[in-house]
Amino acid sequence: MNRWSHSIAVGTTACALSLFAGCAAKVLGDNAARRPDASVPGSFGPPPASVPLGPSVATQQQWDRFFADPNLRALIKEALNNNQELDIRLQDIIIAQNDAAAARGEYLPRIDAEVGAGLEKVGQRTSQGVSDRADGVREHLPNFRFGLRASWETDMFGRFRSARKAAKARYQATIQERHFLVTQIIAELANSYYDLVALDNQIDILDRNIAIQKDGLAIVEAKKAAARDNELGVQRFRAEVLKNQGRRFAFEQERIVAENRINFLVGRFPQHVERDPAALRSAKPELVATGLPSDLLENRPDVKAAELRLSAAEFDTKSAKARFYPSLSLDAGVGYESFNLRHLVDTPQSLAYSAAGSLLAPLLNRAAIKADYRSANARQVQAVYEYERAILRAYTEVYNQMMAITNLSQRYQQLAEQVTALESAIEVSNVLYRSAHADYSEVLLTRRDSLEAEMDLVEARKLQLQAVVAVYQALGGGWRRSP
């Protein structure tokens, strides 16, 4: 580099630095970057009596210890091995890992091997042509060469380092996003399993009631034959039997859909799902300690992924900002070059080498750099809001499910008492009907109320178990593995 080029480079650098120092604030305008607000309340509100205090054990507990049902554990294990969406996310991790490796490669010097051949003819009425003719150089001159070339754009202001750190943060975020998907799949599978066993129990209740109603229909028909009842009672009982038989087909279809939803999550074609319907009736919903809201920042994979995405956006902004500053490039080459293959490796006659350095800085027409910088800053602001929203969503989900556990527990107690009361009412109505002290409508209504109460009791138990699963998911449980 001669003195004139060096002066221009230094002058350009000085101009670029002074211009950037004066207009950096104006580039962003009112959309300046800011830090996220990661503060959370000190607790999840007044703790319900059914939710214990203490550290959040659920978030540290693996799914195979949290779920007691062996059939459910077997399904979860198979899903984690075969679920296609998890496999898709695994490829996302591999892609992000390769992007991080590529970003690291941008920072390192580049060395290329070169082998080439060519043919050159210069114009006779040029200075080179006149000189070649005077020296006896032939008109069509071949050129053979091989060697090594190296180039390196130094990272004086951290543009490549920031890009590498951004790619690494995005790679780590994809890992956390897959952890979050594991939690979601486990929760969805558990909820679908409880849907299925609840439908098994509801169909069983419906079958028992249909059998009882058929017996009632036979009694009414016998009473009509003995002239102690009329055709209206017979038709009302028959209609009730037909209604519940039709209702059973609807429940059967729901059971097929629930079973195949599980099969889809497990990654297999429709088939029978092993389960124990009696486990729903004997299940006792676990009490889950919620811990502190601040634990969500570490335990929730989606919150950690949002934090890593924010970190990547900040590094992207730094990388975009560094484009305003000068860049220093170094180039070098060494090898052999000759117009005659016989003399290609003659040393030192055919040995050729070069070395050069250049310092470049944007001076005019920086609109594209400014636009990229503003866009990177806007993405950083977006990432701040995404992170804050992830924290808010996590806190709200835990709070809602805590309240659900309490309310569903109370509802289950009320429904259990209602079922007991209606069972007694059925016995009384049957006795009164046989003794002609009650009509058929009272028997039908009592039986119908009892059926609905039993159905609601099964539904309440299912919702209790699903609320516990929801708390487990909201606290960030399910994705950890054994050391």
Side-chain angles (χ1 to χ4, degrees):
M1 183 182 295
N2 57 36
R3 294 181 180 178
W4 185 82
S5 300
H6 178 74
S7 323
I8 290 295
V10 172
T12 302
T13 302
C15 290
L17 289 174
S18 60
L19 283 173
F20 179 74
C23 70
K26 297 180 181 179
V27 171
L28 298 180
D30 296 332
N31 196 35
R34 69 175 181 85
R35 298 299 304 162
D37 181 9
S39 60
V40 293
S43 67
F44 290 104
S50 60
V51 179
L53 297 173
S56 177
V57 180
T59 59
Q60 308 297 334
Q61 204 170 22
Q62 299 175 62
W63 57 265
D64 55 348
R65 297 179 182 175
F66 185 80
F67 296 103
D69 192 315
N71 294 311
L72 177 56
R73 289 203 302 266
L75 289 170
I76 293 174
K77 182 178 180 181
E78 189 173 354
L80 296 181
N81 290 330
N82 299 331
N83 184 270
Q84 289 88 353
E85 192 171 358
L86 280 176
D87 292 335
I88 293 171
R89 290 298 178 91
L90 179 60
Q91 300 308 309
D92 288 339
I93 293 174
I94 295 173
I95 292 170
Q97 186 179 29
N98 291 330
D99 290 342
R104 183 176 181 272
E106 291 293 329
Y107 176 68
L108 299 175
R110 176 174 176 174
I111 299 178
D112 299 314
E114 180 188 20
V115 176
L119 183 68
E120 181 184 22
K121 177 189 179 301
V122 299
Q124 293 184 357
R125 300 197 177 276
T126 64
S127 60
Q128 181 68 41
V130 173
S131 175
D132 288 350
R133 193 164 57 253
D135 293 335
V137 177
R138 48 182 161 174
E139 183 178 7
H140 296 90
L141 187 66
N143 184 42
F144 305 97
R145 63 189 181 278
F146 73 91
L148 299 175
R149 291 187 177 274
S151 60
W152 182 35
E153 184 177 346
T154 61
D155 196 22
M156 292 191 300
F157 297 100
R159 179 160 67 97
F160 295 129
R161 284 193 298 270
S162 295
R164 179 165 58 91
K165 290 177 181 178
K168 183 178 180 181
R170 276 189 286 270
Y171 160 63
Q172 293 171 340
T174 57
I175 296 175
Q176 295 299 325
E177 287 164 352
R178 189 177 187 273
H179 288 337
F180 186 59
L181 180 61
V182 168
T183 299
Q184 288 180 308
I185 288 176
I186 290 174
E188 186 176 355
L189 189 55
N191 288 331
S192 298
Y193 181 81
Y194 293 138
D195 282 336
L196 182 60
V197 293
L199 286 166
D200 286 338
N201 281 274
Q202 288 173 327
I203 290 174
D204 181 63
I205 292 170
L206 204 55
D207 287 340
R208 286 190 282 107
N209 275 271
I210 289 173
I212 293 171
Q213 288 165 354
K214 285 182 177 180
D215 291 340
L217 175 60
I219 292 172
V220 175
E221 288 175 338
K223 292 185 69 174
K224 180 198 170 189
R228 295 175 56 194
D229 215 326
N230 53 41
E231 182 65 19
L232 180 60
V234 173
Q235 295 303 328
R236 288 289 300 275
F237 267 89
R238 182 175 289 116
E240 192 71 16
V241 171
L242 292 172
K243 183 189 79 172
N244 286 321
Q245 286 175 333
R247 189 179 180 186
R248 191 189 187 286
F249 287 111
F251 274 104
E252 188 63 45
Q253 179 59 28
E254 289 183 32
R255 181 160 65 178
I256 292 171
V257 171
E259 194 169 41
N260 288 329
R261 185 165 62 244
I262 292 173
N263 285 320
F264 178 77
L265 290 171
V266 171
R268 64 192 188 190
F269 288 101
Q271 57 186 273
H272 176 73
V273 173
E274 291 295 329
R275 71 264 192 186
D276 180 14
L280 183 74
R281 294 189 293 270
S282 60
K284 295 296 176 67
E286 297 285 341
L287 297 179
V288 181
T290 59
L292 298 175
S294 57
D295 295 339
L296 295 175
L297 304 182
E298 288 298 322
N299 293 326
R300 286 269 300 218
D302 59 328
V303 175
K304 295 178 71 175
E307 183 181 11
L308 288 165
R309 294 284 180 188
L310 172 58
S311 178
E314 290 173 346
F315 284 121
D316 283 337
T317 303
K318 291 180 180 179
S319 180
K321 182 178 178 180
R323 291 183 61 197
F324 286 98
Y325 297 117
S327 61
L328 174 63
S329 296
L330 302 176
D331 297 281
V334 62
Y336 288 89
E337 186 174 15
S338 175
F339 60 83
N340 192 322
L341 277 175
R342 290 181 299 176
H343 302 294
L344 182 59
V345 293
D346 288 352
T347 306
Q349 293 86 350
S350 297
L351 182 65
Y353 56 84
S354 64
S358 60
L359 187 66
L360 299 176
L363 186 59
L364 297 176
N365 194 18
R366 301 189 303 163
I369 299 176
K370 291 180 180 179
D372 287 344
Y373 180 51
R374 284 193 294 264
S375 296
N377 179 77
R379 284 189 287 270
Q380 190 270 343
V381 175
Q382 279 183 331
V384 168
Y385 290 126
E386 290 288 348
Y387 180 49
E388 292 175 343
R389 188 172 68 165
I391 295 173
L392 180 60
R393 180 173 57 243
Y395 180 89
T396 304
E397 287 177 359
V398 175
Y399 187 90
N400 287 343
Q401 297 308 323
M402 283 172 54
M403 298 300 106
I405 288 177
T406 301
N407 293 325
L408 287 169
S409 176
Q410 295 175 352
R411 172 173 167 74
Y412 184 83
Q413 294 299 326
Q414 296 293 329
L415 286 171
E417 294 176 9
Q418 182 184 1
V419 168
T420 302
L422 285 170
E423 287 174 351
S424 300
I426 288 173
E427 294 179 5
V428 173
S429 66
N430 288 335
V431 172
L432 292 175
Y433 180 71
R434 288 188 180 94
S435 61
H437 287 87
D439 60 18
Y440 62 86
S441 61
E442 293 175 300
V443 176
L444 279 176
L445 289 174
T446 305
R447 172 59 62 185
R448 186 181 299 168
D449 290 343
S450 177
L451 172 62
E452 295 304 323
E454 285 188 85
M455 292 288 200
D456 289 343
L457 187 65
V458 171
E459 186 73 12
R461 177 61 85 193
K462 179 194 78 173
L463 293 176
Q464 276 187 296
L465 296 172
Q466 289 179 337
V468 172
V469 173
V471 171
Y472 180 62
Q473 178 187 8
L475 291 172
W479 59 270
R480 286 181 172 83
R481 296 181 178 178
S482 301

